[in-house]
Amino acid sequence: SACASDKKVLEVAVETFYANGGTGLATEDGLVAANLLRDVSPTYDIAADGIAVVPQGLKCVAPTTTVAP
């Protein structure tokens, strides 16, 4: 699913950040600045432990796409 894919991309970016010698808390903005992400995730945040989590009170809902007839 799109949600699972988005989560995996975010987790791999966090892992790459630390593997490349990153220190401190990995943030989405920091991952974008380090060219590890194209943009911040619309569905997930990064928790203090580096795990991608859905923000409290929300659920992952993949954007809908419309196919032209």
Side-chain angles (χ1 to χ4, degrees):
S1 76
C3 289
S5 177
D6 190 35
K7 181 178 181 180
K8 186 65 176 177
V9 166
L10 195 55
E11 289 174 344
V12 168
V14 169
E15 291 172 9
T16 303
F17 171 77
Y18 290 118
N20 287 343
T23 59
L25 181 64
T27 65
E28 290 180 75
D29 289 332
L31 296 173
V32 171
N35 293 317
L36 298 173
L37 287 177
R38 289 186 191 150
D39 203 356
V40 297
S41 169
T43 51
Y44 285 94
D45 287 336
I46 301 172
D49 59 3
I51 303 296
V53 295
V54 176
Q56 185 174 358
L58 300 177
K59 63 180 180 177
C60 184
V61 177
T64 57
T65 57
T66 304
V67 178

